[in-house]
Amino acid sequence: VWPTPRDPDLPRGDPNERATVTIVSEGGFDLLLSADAEAPVLLPLALPRVDAMKVPHHGSEEDGLPDLIERLQPKVVAIETGRGNPYGHPRPGTLRALRAVPRVYRTDRDGTIELTVSGDRIAIRTHR
């Protein structure tokens, strides 16, 4: 979805503005993988509603996350962050925004998060 191939206007400064944003689809299931792209990159994109998503940028403070969550309406999110990381991720504002999501997983607490899709059923297993 982003960045567009060989875009001459691709931002040159912050590498997060060039982060790869992908939708993985299987049948009726959609997963948003946003790497470290944040709201200024994600909100202008024509993204569909998704069943699951990886929270952008390890759960850093993100003013646009509530709007993104409202628009995408994921049922499951995963925050990829290390235990005791020096950045304090996931940040409190991010966790508040994620209260709107039914199932929130964090690698710092839950370990590896395995998502399996079969038909319209999503199964989650965690491995510490």
Side-chain angles (χ1 to χ4, degrees), residues 25-40:
S25 298
E26 176 62 35
F29 174 82
D30 293 306
L31 167 69
L32 173 67
L33 299 173
S34 58
D36 285 351
E38 295 177 333

Side-chain angles (χ1 to χ4, degrees), residues 75-100:
K75 298 172 193 79
V76 177
V77 298
I79 306 170
E80 187 179 26
T81 190
R83 182 178 296 206
N85 67 81
Y87 303 103
H89 294 157
R91 303 296 296 161
T94 297
L95 295 173
R96 279 191 300 278
L98 295 177
R99 288 181 188 154

Side-chain angles (χ1 to χ4, degrees), residues 43-127:
L43 288 173
L45 298 176
L47 298 172
R49 287 187 175 173
V50 297
D51 300 287
M53 68 181 274
K54 183 195 86 62
V55 174
H57 205 167
H58 314 284
S60 66
E61 198 68 43
E62 173 62 75
D63 292 339
L65 186 60
D67 292 337
L68 188 65
I69 293 295
E70 183 178 333
R71 190 167 124 207
L72 300 181
Q73 298 186 358
K75 298 172 193 79
V76 177
V77 298
I79 306 170
E80 187 179 26
T81 190
R83 182 178 296 206
N85 67 81
Y87 303 103
H89 294 157
R91 303 296 296 161
T94 297
L95 295 173
R96 279 191 300 278
L98 295 177
R99 288 181 188 154
V101 179
R103 294 163 49 187
V104 177
Y105 294 88
R106 300 170 45 168
T107 57
D108 62 334
R109 291 187 179 168
D110 301 314
T112 300
I113 302 158
E114 179 183 319
L115 184 143
T116 305
V117 177
S118 178
D120 62 354
R121 186 171 173 268
I122 301 171
I124 306 289
R125 283 184 24 186
T126 59
H127 307 275

